Amino acid sequence: MPGVVIVGAQWGDEGKGKVTDLLAERAEAIVRFQGGNNAGHTIVRDGEEFKFHLIPSGILYPEKACVIGNGVVLDPRILLEEIEGLKRRGVDVGNLRISANAHLIMPYHVLLDTAGEVKLGKLSIGTTRRGIGPCYADKALRLGIRVQDLLDEKILRKKILAALEPKQHALRELSVQRRKLRKEAGGGGREGGDQSVADAPDPRLDLHTMSEEFAGYGHRLEPHIADTSRLCWNVLDGGGTVLFEGAQATLLDLDHGTYPFVTSSNPIAGAACVGAGVGPTDIDEVWGVAKAYATRVGAGPFPTELDDAVGRHLLERGHEFGTTTGRERRCGWIDLVALRYAVRLNRMSALAITKLDVLSGLDPLRVAVRYRSREGAVFDTFPYHQSILHSAEPEYEELPGFEADLSTCRSEADLPPQARAFLDFVAGFAGVPIRLVGVGPGRDQVVWIGDEPHLRAA
Ligand code: IMP
């Protein structure tokens, strides 16, 4: 029985949370398999807005297992804040399960992320500064601290000490940076201010404080810590459905995205196996989620980016501001070259197109169908070479636009013919059926295409 993966098909923020929330109705377990609190999804349920960074969207179903898989990097302070916030709103979090093997984002990861970005200056990646990259780096270096380490303060202390040791140089540089900044702000240094404060080591990095603080998090999280791979196997072997919820998106994939302007994990479907601890043959379906246009936060190539009235329309009508950082997102037309690449990389079986309503009022609609390089070469497929992608000019197909407000459409027949033609073009080009269309932020503001919901048939 089905393992279903949901992935972002663009540069993130496609509305995966809402699609997961809808498909979760048919699943027994919902599992996040990568990323950390760099993600952000908003779910509107009965007019109430829920914003999550770490907790899978499935938490709003108290009868389903809601799992943070081993592939996730977890900031326990943020997780506990989310848990407390949900409890305050009356949401039962008793079914939250956290993999004992997931890695922890430590205070030094957050500091090093910011320091790395500052150091890169103009070349910075535009990370969310949540410590994601340094945490995954420590995991690969085998210097990571895992959730299970929280349960033994002695081990925790030893591991923190080992992880800190090779970072001394970078952390010293960081305190020099801090001192410089304080001096510039007139708050420290010999010329004025309190020198002892300026020179004091960052209290967040004190071994004793950190060990105590994290052991405290361990006590609070202990009831949720589990062998989450086994939990997935039990559901799958018992004939139930597990939904694997990807964060970020295909073009931010560490291996297949627009490196180095990517995140430090693998958000593509293949990573669901590693990040949740199941096998490839456990996966039956892959749903990709794409907006009817494109957005990107942070730096990096974005061939269809618009810096004009249409871009403004998409930003304003689409409320394109980051859930995690509040940053304005870069906006542009849908890029079908990139989408087709994402379809193949994830071997998608279905597409969900979100925010179709945002296109209303734009005429004509444009969809990028190929790129042209600076030298005039034509690319029908996503170029592997970064320099080509950086300077690629998109070539568009024009489709008629529509004026109607789509927010009340609930069936395919309610959609104006131009909107249907747009969807047909996208599905035809991408080579995968569109099963779900979003026409507004609400849970009910969707149009199912074909049998609804798809998982019922599975
Ligand atoms: P990091 O994941 O914080 O290291 O950031 C690396 C890149 O991924 C930056 O360009 C971020 O803006 C981008 N990114 C990370 N998480 C998300 C997300 O959830 N949505 C969109 N972009 C993201």
Side-chain angles (χ1 to χ4, degrees):
M1 279 295 281
V4 180
V5 185
I6 298 178
V7 291
Q10 297 165 314
W11 278 283
D13 312 309
E14 297 93 349
K16 294 179 290 293
K18 176 169 158 174
V19 177
T20 309
D21 185 38
L22 287 166
L23 294 185
E25 248 178 55
R26 305 277 132 202
E28 277 68 46
I30 298 93
V31 185
R32 257 195 75 177
F33 58 88
Q34 45 70 232
N37 58 312
N38 47 347
H41 40 249
T42 308
I43 295 174
V44 181
R45 184 69 79 80
D46 302 327
E48 222 187 321
E49 201 175 74
F50 291 88
K51 285 184 194 291
F52 303 117
H53 295 288
L54 256 174
I55 294 187
S57 320
I59 196 71
L60 298 181
Y61 296 95
E63 72 286 5
K64 301 178 194 295
C66 175
V67 178
I68 296 181
N70 58 277
V72 171
V73 287
L74 184 159
D75 187 327
R77 194 177 51 85
I78 304 291
L79 178 62
L80 283 161
E81 268 173 30
E82 282 192 7
I83 291 176
E84 292 311 318
L86 282 165
K87 280 187 185 164
R88 274 198 300 276
R89 293 170 75 177
V91 178
D92 178 3
V93 294
N95 274 358
L96 178 67
R97 293 290 172 271
I98 305 165
S99 167
N101 291 350
H103 280 247
L104 296 172
I105 298 180
M106 305 297 291
Y108 43 87
H109 292 139
V110 180
L111 293 172
L112 290 171
D113 194 359
T114 303
E117 285 286 272
V118 170
K119 206 166 170 185
L120 280 171
K122 270 197 194 145
L123 298 176
S124 74
I125 291 157
T127 74
T128 58
R129 303 192 176 195
R130 300 297 190 263
I132 307 296
C135 182
Y136 277 115
D138 265 357
K139 176 177 176 174
L141 283 168
R142 289 149 293 176
L143 285 173
I145 319 286
R146 296 191 294 171
V147 167
Q148 57 185 278
D149 300 326
L150 292 175
L151 303 178
D152 184 326
E153 198 172 338
K154 240 162 90 187
I155 293 183
L156 179 65
R157 201 184 161 86
K158 260 197 206 156
K159 292 202 172 183
I160 297 178
L161 187 64
L164 276 175
E165 207 275 326
K167 295 178 184 65
Q168 290 309 336
H169 177 70
L171 293 172
R172 253 196 308 275
E173 251 187 40
L174 203 70
S175 72
V176 172
Q177 246 181 41
R178 269 177 84 214
R179 207 171 318 156
K180 215 171 116 194
L181 283 175
R182 276 172 190 268
K183 210 167 172 178
E184 276 165 18
R190 280 183 220 296
E191 291 79 39
D194 181 350
Q195 181 67 42
S196 62
V197 171
D199 282 343
D202 192 316
R204 287 168 292 185
L205 299 179
D206 176 69
L207 176 64
H208 180 70
T209 316
M210 221 186 314
S211 309
E212 277 209 329
E213 181 189 339
F214 276 71
Y217 295 148
H219 289 306
R220 292 169 67 191
L221 291 175
E222 193 167 2
H224 300 283
I225 302 175
D227 178 350
T228 53
S229 305
R230 191 167 300 279
L231 186 155
C232 293
W233 305 337
N234 290 343
V235 174
L236 291 165
D237 294 347
T241 296
V242 177
L243 212 54
F244 300 94
E245 176 184 3
Q248 290 84 45
T250 304
L251 296 165
L252 291 174
D253 185 270
L254 181 59
D255 288 78
H256 300 281
T258 52
Y259 192 91
F261 302 102
V262 293
T263 190
S264 297
S265 67
N266 293 104
I268 61 171
C273 295
V274 180
V278 299
T281 50
D282 284 318
I283 308 296
D284 300 77
E285 292 186 29
V286 178
W287 283 58
V289 186
K291 276 187 232 196
Y293 49 98
T295 63
R296 174 164 205 168
V297 265
F302 181 11
T304 61
E305 182 170 15
L306 296 170
D307 188 18
D308 60 7
V310 175
R312 217 57 233 163
H313 170 112
L314 298 171
L315 176 83
E316 281 163 13
R317 297 279 294 274
H319 308 289
E320 295 297 350
F321 300 91
T323 320
T324 302
T325 58
R327 288 183 285 181
E328 247 183 38
R329 296 179 184 139
R330 301 156 67 193
C331 297
W333 294 114
I334 192 165
D335 182 342
L336 296 185
V337 183
L339 183 62
R340 196 155 57 181
Y341 173 66
V343 165
R344 186 61 190 88
L345 263 178
N346 293 287
R347 204 19 139 200
M348 283 175 204
S349 41
L351 257 178
I353 297 291
T354 57
K355 294 187 141 181
L356 185 61
D357 54 303
V358 173
L359 295 188
S360 135
L362 295 175
D363 195 11
L365 299 174
R366 296 176 123 197
V367 293
V369 292
R370 69 187 78 81
Y371 305 143
R372 195 173 285 275
S373 77
R374 222 192 321 245
E375 293 73 27
V378 171
F379 287 85
D380 294 315
T381 55
F382 201 69
Y384 69 84
H385 208 295
Q386 278 301 293
S387 348
I388 292 172
L389 197 60
H390 272 281
S391 60
E393 280 297 329
E395 294 193 349
Y396 293 104
E397 196 81 35
E398 288 194 349
L399 302 170
F402 50 89
E403 281 296 329
D405 170 13
L406 304 191
S407 62
T408 55
C409 295
R410 294 295 176 271
S411 75
E412 217 182 328
D414 295 339
L415 295 171
Q418 299 90 332
R420 272 183 278 158
F422 174 85
L423 294 173
D424 285 346
F425 191 94
V426 171
F429 197 95
V432 69
I434 294 173
R435 307 302 307 264
L436 182 65
V437 180
V439 291
R443 196 171 189 276
D444 60 324
Q445 290 182 297
V446 289
V447 171
W448 289 95
I449 298 182
D451 355 321
E452 174 237 328
H454 189 49
L455 296 185
R456 208 171 272 166

